[in-house]
Amino acid sequence: MDSASRPKLFDFHGVSMINIFTDNWEAIQNFQARPDDILIGTYPKAGTTWVSYVLDLLYFGQMSPERLNTLPIHERVPFLEATYQNMDLEYTGTGLADKLPTSPRLIKTHLPVQFVPKSFWEQNCRMVYVARNAKDNVVSYFHFERMTFAQPEPGDWNSYLQKFLAGKLAFGSWYDHVNGWWKKKQTYSNLHYMFYEDLAEDTGREIDKLCSFLGLSPSAEEKARVMSEVKFDNMKNNVMTNYSTNPYMDFKISSFMRKGKVGDWKNHFTVAQNEEFDKDFKKKMKDSAPQFRTEIGNQITANQTVFI
Ligand code: PPS
């Protein structure tokens, strides 16, 4: 696959999708979850890899150093709905999850809540959902699509923003996604809903909350090690977490671990785009929706960084 053969979006049960996430649909929907499986749910680019690595280290950080040094994160935490059968990569998320030797299994998904295979609910599996504020989320998705040939052609920034507002990106509307999972949380108690911004503000506090949800009690030393390993720069320099071996990505265009900041949207949105976005946001997000922060104290202020 190259830039000339990027996939096209199509409507899939009311959600925009691309075929690498629907080709294996029967196996996805019939996937047999186990009671101790942990599902990590996100809209794309909301901090999936970050939280996946936190959980992987909390559970398996004490295992052999070989595992940490040789097994990329996408093999430790299978991407449930993904099917890659091109180039050097032969991968179905369901196949990989079935073969995972670890217990619990950590499984990643970007599916909107209504598409989650029913066995996860039947088995009362624990789920961790990570949400990121819409403005930084769309910026991150835009750069990801620029550098990933397995994604649709993003076009220019302004047209990309319009597609985001219309829900015309793979996995559909960000608004429906974060609201759908939020609503589910009101009736499904085994769901921990967390925010990228909180993790960026105080990683230790958010790890404590995760541990309390999961019933884990790492020693102070283990926790300090996890906190150090999951720092942005360490993950960016770690070939097991930076996706540098992925044949679909062109790191000359952008990086998978790109900036890792709250507030980078300020370097992308024009004043007019921001006004349109805020107006639309108010319409789509009602009072009962999750509350997002588009800036936090210790991160980017406008024009502090370059575009990419
Ligand atoms: S994917 O492809 O959907 O699984 O991508 P995902 O992992 O959800 O999101 C990638 C963005 O998360 C940022 N990231 C981090 N930020 C801060 N700290 C750490 N440790 C970290 N790890 C990943 C990553 O840089 C992408 O965001 P942007 O804004 O593009 O940099």
Side-chain angles (χ1 to χ4, degrees), residues 17 37 116 124 132 155 161 168 210 220 231 266 294-295:
M17 286 294 252
D37 284 347
V116 169
N124 198 30
R132 186 177 193 182
L161 191 56
K168 299 283 185 221
L210 268 172
K231 280 196 176 123
K266 294 173 192 171
T294 54
E295 52 190 309

Side-chain angles (χ1 to χ4, degrees), residues 7-141:
K8 297 263 180 298
L9 275 183
F10 56 90
D11 180 85
F12 187 74
H13 303 292
V15 177
S16 294
M17 286 294 252
I18 50 178
N19 63 338
I20 55 171
F21 303 127
T22 58
D23 278 354
N24 195 28
W25 199 246
E26 215 182 305
I28 296 164
Q29 287 305 300
N30 293 324
F31 181 75
Q32 287 307 303
R34 298 177 195 153
D36 64 345
D37 284 347
I38 299 172
L39 190 67
I40 301 165
T42 58
Y43 190 76
K45 314 320 291 179
T48 331
T49 315
W50 196 1
V51 169
S52 297
Y53 196 39
V54 168
L55 292 189
D56 180 70
L57 289 170
L58 285 171
Y59 278 104
F60 310 118
Q62 308 286 321
M63 281 171 75
S64 70
E66 254 144 279
R67 185 175 183 277
L68 284 179
N69 296 331
T70 60
L71 207 57
I73 191 74
H74 62 263
E75 289 184 32
R76 296 180 211 176
V77 183
F79 184 2
L80 185 68
E81 60 273 19
T83 316
Y84 296 110
Q85 273 153 345
N86 279 300
M87 295 167 73
D88 307 335
L89 208 56
E90 280 275 328
Y91 181 111
T92 67
T94 51
L96 195 61
D98 283 336
K99 285 197 227 107
L100 262 194
T102 55
S103 179
R105 298 184 299 184
L106 305 174
I107 300 172
K108 150 184 170 175
T109 185
H110 291 318
L111 291 174
V113 73
Q114 71 274 20
F115 287 171
V116 169
K118 69 175 184 319
S119 65
F120 283 99
W121 310 112
E122 288 166 354
Q123 298 291 346
N124 198 30
C125 294
R126 282 167 301 177
M127 303 185 189
V128 174
Y129 185 80
V130 194
R132 186 177 193 182
N133 82 76
K135 292 178 183 178
D136 283 323
N137 207 143
V138 61
V139 167
S140 182
Y141 210 173

Side-chain angles (χ1 to χ4, degrees), residues 42-50 108 110 132 136 140 143-144 196 230-232 235 243 255-261 264:
T42 58
Y43 190 76
K45 314 320 291 179
T48 331
T49 315
W50 196 1
K108 150 184 170 175
H110 291 318
R132 186 177 193 182
D136 283 323
S140 182
H143 289 297
F144 179 69
Y196 180 101
V230 305
K231 280 196 176 123
F232 179 80
M235 283 184 65
Y243 279 83
S255 302
F256 183 88
M257 299 287 303
R258 192 183 57 90
K259 275 195 187 163
K261 294 282 184 211
D264 187 35

Side-chain angles (χ1 to χ4, degrees), residues 212-231:
S212 135
F213 170 67
L214 298 168
L216 296 174
S217 30
S219 66
E221 198 184 36
E222 276 164 28
K223 186 183 158 193
R225 187 164 155 258
V226 174
M227 282 180 62
S228 163
E229 288 269 340
V230 305
K231 280 196 176 123

Side-chain angles (χ1 to χ4, degrees), residues 6 9 18 21 43-45 138-155 160 163 168-171 248 253-254:
R6 281 171 176 265
L9 275 183
I18 50 178
F21 303 127
Y43 190 76
K45 314 320 291 179
V138 61
V139 167
S140 182
Y141 210 173
F142 172 61
H143 289 297
F144 179 69
E145 297 215 329
R146 290 173 55 238
M147 58 95 73
T148 309
F149 299 137
Q151 295 285 136
E153 177 62 51
Y160 194 80
K163 284 189 269 190
K168 299 283 185 221
L169 300 178
F171 296 102
Y248 294 103
I253 299 177
S254 186

Side-chain angles (χ1 to χ4, degrees), residues 155-197:
D156 65 24
W157 163 243
N158 191 51
S159 58
Y160 194 80
L161 191 56
Q162 297 308 317
K163 284 189 269 190
F164 181 87
L165 292 172
K168 299 283 185 221
L169 300 178
F171 296 102
S173 157
W174 175 93
Y175 308 85
D176 291 348
H177 209 283
V178 299
N179 284 332
W181 279 88
W182 182 257
K183 196 162 167 230
K184 189 74 187 182
K185 178 180 127 73
Q186 317 311 318
T187 55
Y188 186 79
S189 58
N190 258 355
L191 171 56
H192 179 71
Y193 197 108
M194 58 188 293
F195 296 90
Y196 180 101
E197 294 72 29

